[in-house]
């Protein structure tokens, strides 16, 4: 982008990303991708994007797949393998191919993270990638009477070794191979390693960057978000292609293992991981263990998020200026709408018990997501709060949002209609209009 052609847009964009940067700093993300991504030549760009996450203070664990690379090795060596229920039966010759593929991929990934030419996104990056015998595996065993030989499953992830590496600023790389106490090597799936790592490390996110296109429902509508409950229903419908089903099953497994969010993001879109993480709607599918968006009472941890949300409106005079201290003191009056850890909306309810009235103030919805009903949801919520507290009237003072309130049952009133204490605080310079709604 030629930044100086549109510096205002650039600054606005950078500021819009700030809440995500604050929310993600110090968090652990497990990022898993298939061997197809490397085949498609997308590794150097992914390395740049993941380096950026690392630079923003996110702890990154990478898990790579190797299916097409193993196929290549098998073909080169004329090794024939068999499958059972979609799982490769790994004999000694096939394992050699898996080792060869994983070794090559590891080196390619290390090389990609060593980029650092001046004027490229990775200049000054100097990222260190650490890999080792962090995945402990066991044989999958005999299924339906068929011995899967050296095909295994993850038994344990050496989280106690991985955490200090991440804390020291290293990136951890895991291959789809695991080791057993008997000294054997087992061939694993990338998805299994990624889910096990995300659960063991108590990761905040598991991100699959996939060769599959964006998931759609039976009607062909893109699926951007699913709660664990909705994800189960989608699987039961049986409309997803096999690859998407496989990813979704693993994402759900991670969520039920305690990972709050799993994302399935197609790598066909340039920068898809960044778009998914740093925009409200994303370009992939986010699966969450809880409800994604919550409307709840604010806590002291939300003060930073509320300030970020209202500061631009305070600056242009839409809202009255409140400092951090005031919001901290009055945090119990606030309710917020949170989405994936970021505050997208807020409102405050100030009580005037003597007159059985309450003031709704500071009603704000992030411009990125306005006109989707969040403002109305906040209003309804504040009405419920006010009624529950025994108030019979809700009032607002506004300079620019009169029509919004009129449309929602408020009627114009005068300053004399306000509670006595509020009349004394009325700011005659702002000349706000008064609207009241009977509850
Ligand atoms: C007012 C505000 C909270 C509404 O949030 P929202 O999530 O967009 O609200 P909803 O989705 O429930 O409602 C959107 C509707 O309100 C309309 N609307 C938005 N701002 C408006 C305004 N200032 N005056 C009149 N109507 C307005 C939209 O055009 C949209 O209309 P539509 O449904 O016919 O398309 C949001 O616009 C905002 O944060 N504004 C800046 C802060 C502000 O003015 N707060 C009030 C201080 S007293």
């Amino acid at each position: 982008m030629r930044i100086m052609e549109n510096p205002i847009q650039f600054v606005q964009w950078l500021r819009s990303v700030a809440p995500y940067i604050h929310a993600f700093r110090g968090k652990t993300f497990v990022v898993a991708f298939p061997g197809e991504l490397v085949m498609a030549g997308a590794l150097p760009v992914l390395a740049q994007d993941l380096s950026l996450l690392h630079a923003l203070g996110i702890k990154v664990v990478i898990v790579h797949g190797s299916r097409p690379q193993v196929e290549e090795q098998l073909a080169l060596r004329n090794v024939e393998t068999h499958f059972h229920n979609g799982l490769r039966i790994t004999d000694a010759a096939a394992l050699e191919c898996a080792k060869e593929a994983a070794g090559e991929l590891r080196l390619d990934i290390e090389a990609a993270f060593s980029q650092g030419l001046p004027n490229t996104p990775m200049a000054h990056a100097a990222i260190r990638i650490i890999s080792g015998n962090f995945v402990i595996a066991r044989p999958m065993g005999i299924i339906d009477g068929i011995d899967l030989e050296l095909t295994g499953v993850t038994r344990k992830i050496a989280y106690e070794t991985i955490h200090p590496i991440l804390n020291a600023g290293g990136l951890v790389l895991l291959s789809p191979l695991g080791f057993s106490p008997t000294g054997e090597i087992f061939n694993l799936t990338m998805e299994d390693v990624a889910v096990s790592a995300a659960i063991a490390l108590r990761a905040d996110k598991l991100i699959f960057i996939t060769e599959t296109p964006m998931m759609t429902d039976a009607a062909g509508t893109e699926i951007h978000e699913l709660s664990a409950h909705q994800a189960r229903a989608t699987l039961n419908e049986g409309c997803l292609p096999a690859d998407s089903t496989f990813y979704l099953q693993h994402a759900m497994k991670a969520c039920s293992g305690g990972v709050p969010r799993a994302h399935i993001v197609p790598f066909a879109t340039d920068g898809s991981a960044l778009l998914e993480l740093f925009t409200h709607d994303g370009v992939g599918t986010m699966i969450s263990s809880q409800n994604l968006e919550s409307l709840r009472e604010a806590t002291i941890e939300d003060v930073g998020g509320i300030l970020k949300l209202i500061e631009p409106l305070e600056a242009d005079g839409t809202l009255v200026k409140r400092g951090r201290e005031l919001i901290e003191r009055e945090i119990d009056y606030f309710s917020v709408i949170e989405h994936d850890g970021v505050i997208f909306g807020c409102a405050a309810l100030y009580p005037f018990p003597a007159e059985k009235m309450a003031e709704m103030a500071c009603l704000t919805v992030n411009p990125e997501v306005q006109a989707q009903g969040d403002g109305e949801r906040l209003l309804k919520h504040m009405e419920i709060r006010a009624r529950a507290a025994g108030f019979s009237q809700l009032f607002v003072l506004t300079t620019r949002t009169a029509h919004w309130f009129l449309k929602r049952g408020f009627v114009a009133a005068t300053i004399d209609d306000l509670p006595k204490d509020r009349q004394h605080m009325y700011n005659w310079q702002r000349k706000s209009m008064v609207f009241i709604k009977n509850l």
Side-chain angles (χ1 to χ4, degrees), residues 78-92:
N78 280 326
V79 178
E80 217 186 296
T81 54
H82 301 283
F83 286 81
H84 178 66
N85 284 348
L87 283 167
R88 190 192 301 281
I89 303 170
T90 312
D91 59 12

Side-chain angles (χ1 to χ4, degrees), residues 75-135:
L76 267 175
R77 296 168 188 221
N78 280 326
V79 178
E80 217 186 296
T81 54
H82 301 283
F83 286 81
H84 178 66
N85 284 348
L87 283 167
R88 190 192 301 281
I89 303 170
T90 312
D91 59 12
L95 184 69
E96 284 310 306
C97 296
K99 280 160 62 179
E100 187 85 27
E104 241 182 65
L105 279 162
R106 201 189 89 196
L107 293 172
D108 286 344
I109 293 166
E110 287 175 357
F113 276 93
S114 304
Q115 303 172 79
L117 288 178
N119 300 324
T120 66
M122 285 185 68
H124 315 297
I127 290 176
R128 297 294 159 245
I129 298 230
I130 322 284
S131 44
N133 56 342
F134 302 145
V135 182

Side-chain angles (χ1 to χ4, degrees), residues 318 363-365 370-376 398 400-401 404 408:
T318 309
L363 172 70
T364 314
V365 171
Q370 278 179 11
Q372 294 175 21
D374 282 346
E376 184 131 355
T398 183
R400 302 185 196 181
T401 320
W404 194 85
R408 285 157 184 83

Side-chain angles (χ1 to χ4, degrees), residues 354-429:
E355 287 88 351
K356 287 197 158 194
M357 292 175 92
E359 175 179 4
M360 183 174 71
C362 211
L363 172 70
T364 314
V365 171
N366 182 314
E368 220 188 286
V369 295
Q370 278 179 11
Q372 294 175 21
D374 282 346
E376 184 131 355
R377 280 176 61 212
L378 276 163
L379 168 63
K380 289 245 160 66
H381 182 72
M382 293 328 235
E383 288 177 7
I384 291 168
R385 268 184 82 172
R387 250 185 244 119
F391 298 118
S392 49
Q393 285 185 311
L394 187 66
F395 68 89
V396 293
L397 273 76
T398 183
T399 51
R400 302 185 196 181
T401 320
H403 288 190
W404 194 85
F405 290 109
L406 285 170
K407 240 180 116 176
R408 285 157 184 83
F410 284 80
V411 292
T414 65
I415 295 146
D416 294 337
D417 299 320
L418 293 176
K420 287 278 167 296
D421 287 351
R422 190 62 181 88
Q423 288 183 24
H424 299 319
M425 290 189 297
Y426 185 80
N427 181 337
W428 287 96
Q429 264 170 355

Side-chain angles (χ1 to χ4, degrees), residues 19-20 22-24 27 205 261 286 292 294 296 301-302 305 337-344:
Y20 295 98
H22 292 297
F24 293 160
K27 299 281 160 52
K205 282 184 189 293
R261 306 270 188 270
M286 173 159 81
L292 287 167
S294 66
R296 57 171 174 79
E301 276 84 49
D302 298 319
I337 290 186
E338 181 206 308
H339 182 274
D340 197 18
V342 176
I343 303 296
F344 276 89

